[in-house]
Amino acid sequence: MLSVALLGVCLAGGARAVSAAEPTSAVTNDARQIVEQAVAFEHGEGVPRDPERAAELYCEAVRAGNAEAMYSLGWMYANGRGVPRDDGVAATLFEMALFKGHSGAEKARRMAGDYTGVVPECLKAHSVEWAFSIRDNWDSQKYLASLPERKKKVVELITTLAPRFSIEPRLALAIATTESNFDASATSPKNAMGVMQLIPETASRFNVKDSFDPVENIKGGLAYLRWLLAYYRGNVALAVAGYNAGEGAVDRYKGVPPYKETQNYVRRILEFFPRTEHPFDARLVNASPALQALKSVN
């Protein structure tokens, strides 16, 4: 389950926000009722058939984290029912449902074609970052409780800021713990600084004025990671390798560079974050030319 600290971000927008005192079961029940209404409008059960209204209701339930709504809205996009047909949006919704544990989503996801990370307009209006945040069902609160007190503030910052950059918290934490072990004053022999170990060029590129300010540093690192995920179209290994060795090296070698440090780095991140793909925003940057070379090799 997501921590309470992230629920406000995940449910921002059209769906009402959840306070710390409000049980998440209430939101779950509301979402189920919305899905029941959507099904009725989709199939004309007791009400005039209205697929457009059904799609609106499904999207409202998606914003509340309901897997059945994700799955059903995915089929509406796959079939152009109530919404313009869009296999890319369908693939995203099936992917979301799959990560929420929907039993039928895996087969639907394969049928929808390549997953690109594009989200439906109804979610964009309520923040793209939310659609990606719900995928991480890892218990960050439990992880936080296991850390020494001096590191908890840094971890809380990362866990709170990551969804604002459409980064799943567990991936952001994997980068930070590998880079600096959550030490805001860390400096490497290569002059990489702070929690996310930003070299001066990267700090300047992402408008970080003080690399030893934890908030600035984390935001800069997350901005860079978001850019890398877009550049490598959600390929986690390539994005992580780029974070360590620079995207130039990844492009030059058309994959993870043959540097022992980088290969160990990627392996460690993937042990902490065992997923090969991560949602991305294709509007940020054109895809890396290395991706086409990798496809031709495969």
Side-chain angles (χ1 to χ4, degrees):
M1 255 182 109
L2 286 175
S3 66
V4 172
L6 290 178
L7 282 172
V9 176
C10 293
L11 300 178
R16 60 194 177 84
V18 180
S19 71
E22 182 178 8
T24 56
S25 59
V27 176
T28 301
N29 289 336
D30 285 352
R32 286 174 182 162
Q33 291 172 7
I34 293 169
V35 170
E36 289 173 3
Q37 294 174 36
V39 170
F41 279 110
E42 182 181 3
H43 300 291
E45 298 174 353
V47 293
R49 187 172 178 274
D50 188 342
E52 289 84 3
R53 178 58 179 153
E56 292 173 0
L57 288 166
Y58 279 136
C59 200
E60 184 176 345
V62 168
R63 291 196 295 271
N66 184 279
E68 185 62 36
M70 296 167 189
Y71 179 74
S72 297
L73 187 59
W75 277 119
M76 295 195 79
Y77 273 98
N79 294 309
R81 190 167 62 246
V83 292
R85 177 172 176 172
D86 192 321
D87 289 343
V89 168
T92 293
L93 288 161
F94 291 143
E95 180 85 355
M96 292 164 68
L98 178 61
F99 274 90
K100 295 288 285 185
H102 193 286
S103 59
E106 184 173 5
K107 182 178 179 181
R109 167 68 186 81
R110 289 197 301 269
M111 293 174 63
D114 291 339
Y115 168 59
T116 64
V118 63
V119 297
E121 290 297 325
C122 64
L123 290 186
K124 287 180 183 176
H126 295 276
S127 169
V128 172
E129 68 196 32
W130 174 85
F132 299 152
S133 298
I134 65 165
R135 293 185 58 202
D136 196 355
N137 61 358
W138 169 66
D139 191 344
S140 58
Q141 291 293 80
K142 184 176 180 181
Y143 177 74
L144 180 61
S146 72
L147 293 172
E149 202 63 38
R150 59 189 175 82
K151 294 183 179 179
K152 287 184 179 179
K153 185 175 181 181
V154 172
V155 172
E156 287 173 344
L157 279 173
I158 295 167
T159 305
T160 301
L161 291 171
R164 301 181 190 178
F165 289 82
S166 304
I167 303 294
E168 294 184 19
R170 186 166 181 168
L171 177 57
L173 289 168
I175 295 287
T177 190
T178 303
E179 288 287 348
S180 71
N181 199 23
F182 307 123
D183 184 354
S185 62
T187 305
S188 80
K190 297 179 182 178
N191 203 27
M193 295 172 280
V195 176
M196 305 296 280
Q197 287 290 277
L198 304 180
I199 61 173
E201 293 83 354
T202 304
S204 176
R205 178 178 170 187
F206 292 97
N207 301 312
V208 176
K209 306 300 182 185
D210 181 0
S211 289
F212 293 112
D213 179 288
V215 174
E216 273 200 65
N217 185 285
I218 292 166
K219 285 182 176 179
L222 291 171
Y224 184 33
L225 183 56
R226 176 176 59 183
W227 186 92
L228 287 166
L229 286 165
Y231 187 56
Y232 293 114
R233 293 306 189 250
N235 185 308
V236 174
L238 295 183
V240 168
Y243 196 98
N244 177 260
E247 62 268 21
V250 175
D251 288 348
R252 186 164 59 253
Y253 288 102
K254 298 179 174 60
V256 177
Y259 312 147
K260 185 175 181 180
E261 176 193 332
T262 301
Q263 292 180 346
N264 288 339
Y265 181 91
V266 171
R267 183 164 52 251
R268 181 174 180 183
I269 298 295
L270 292 179
E271 286 173 356
F272 198 95
F273 184 81
R275 300 181 195 168
T276 58
E277 291 186 350
H278 186 290
F280 60 91
D281 187 346
R283 299 169 297 179
L284 287 177
V285 62
N286 291 330
S288 163
L291 293 176
Q292 192 59 45
L294 284 170
K295 285 182 181 178
S296 61
V297 169
N298 297 331

